[in-house]
Amino acid sequence: MRLARAVDGALLAIAVFIFLFIVLFPFYWIVLSSFTPKYELFTIPPRYWFSTFTLENYQVLANSIPLTRYFVNSLLFAAGSSLVSVAAAFLASYALARIQFRGANLIFIVFVMSIALPQIGGLVPLFELFKNTGLINTYHGLVILMSSLVLPFTIWILVPFLRQIPYEIEEAAIMDGARLPHLFWFITLPIMRPALVTMFIINFIIAWNELIYPLVFATSGSNKTLSVGLVELAVQPTAGGGRPWDLLSAMSIVMIVPILIVVLLFQKLIVSGLTRGAIK
């Protein structure tokens, strides 16, 4: 019995090690490449540790693209779309979870089914619509687009969360003379705060990594995001005819590190918010 447990423990440890290696090694290699001089990236045999540590890749990156502008654009794009989507989803979820009207379940099902629609399928009509309304190359246009993309998923999470809140709490407040704005602000919102913060963080991560919408709807340099900058670097010609892997690695780190910090800081909140809203 002890031998069997020891074998099971050893196999589990080996499996976990292999899984972590597969997941973490690409990230480690990007970090290594971002601080390695370009002429050492393709040495044979490859080097798995820093032989020459340099910040030159980041300096060249900052001179190749407007890095600060792209970073600010990504921050505004992700934060704005997350705020709008969570606010709109909260109102829609409250109506679907609390107000009894014909077709409420059907509307909720339509929202859930829309999550499976391919994003690229609506690019052409959306581009024509935004072009005619003057929303191309605008911050609010990108925020509207991204908010509409993550809105169904946000509603799908918030509706079950709201349904778990006893309605008797709101009934007691109504009996005391509270009106709908007071219910929202003083009763429902404090209870929903963990779920709302969780969805804001998740939507922020999704928007930060979004490529298709900024690539198609932000063609001017003043509105491009980091993901678009990564594509621009990938298609830049180099002396040897290949890709500038040194700059691509540095750009990848610039994009990954902020999200990694957010996930590490709020991982417990993200998991608890998702599970509390999706279990029931």
Side-chain angles (χ1 to χ4, degrees), residues 135-139 217-220 222-223:
L135 293 176
I136 301 294
N137 291 323
T138 61
Y139 285 117
F217 293 90
T219 56
S220 68
S222 59
N223 295 286

Side-chain angles (χ1 to χ4, degrees), residues 62-256:
N63 295 327
S64 300
I65 61 173
L67 185 62
T68 302
R69 167 56 58 185
Y70 286 4
F71 185 89
V72 173
N73 290 344
S74 293
L75 188 62
L76 294 175
F77 170 62
S81 58
S82 301
L83 183 62
V84 171
S85 62
V86 170
F90 173 64
L91 298 177
S93 301
Y94 188 88
L96 293 172
R98 287 290 191 254
I99 302 175
Q100 300 296 326
F101 61 94
R102 183 177 298 178
N105 291 331
L106 178 61
I107 294 176
F108 180 64
I109 292 173
V110 170
F111 272 117
V112 174
M113 293 178 61
S114 65
I115 299 175
L117 295 177
Q119 181 183 359
I120 197 172
L123 281 182
V124 174
L126 280 175
F127 187 86
E128 291 296 328
L129 174 63
F130 276 59
K131 181 180 179 181
N132 295 331
T133 53
L135 293 176
I136 301 294
N137 291 323
T138 61
Y139 285 117
H140 52 281
L142 290 174
V143 168
I144 292 172
L145 279 168
M146 197 64 214
S147 301
S148 65
L149 179 64
V150 298
L151 184 63
F153 172 72
T154 310
I155 293 175
W156 178 54
I157 296 297
L158 292 183
V159 167
F161 194 99
L162 264 167
R163 288 174 176 171
Q164 295 182 31
I165 301 175
Y167 187 61
E168 289 76 12
I169 299 177
E170 298 179 13
E171 287 182 335
I174 294 174
M175 293 290 291
D176 291 336
R179 296 185 178 181
L180 187 59
H182 295 87
L183 288 178
F184 274 135
W185 188 255
F186 296 106
I187 305 298
T188 310
L189 188 60
I191 300 176
M192 288 287 295
R193 187 176 290 114
L196 296 177
V197 174
T198 298
M199 292 313 304
F200 178 87
I201 296 172
I202 293 175
N203 291 351
F204 183 91
I205 295 173
I206 296 174
W208 182 272
N209 295 321
E210 175 63 22
L211 171 62
I212 295 180
Y213 282 159
L215 184 64
V216 176
F217 293 90
T219 56
S220 68
S222 59
N223 295 286
K224 292 180 180 180
T225 61
L226 288 174
S227 57
V228 178
L230 187 65
V231 175
E232 290 179 345
L233 288 174
V235 298
Q236 282 185 2
T238 58
R243 304 294 184 187
W245 295 113
D246 51 339
L247 302 184
L248 291 175
S249 300
M251 187 67 168
S252 299
I253 296 302
V254 172
M255 292 188 63
I256 291 173

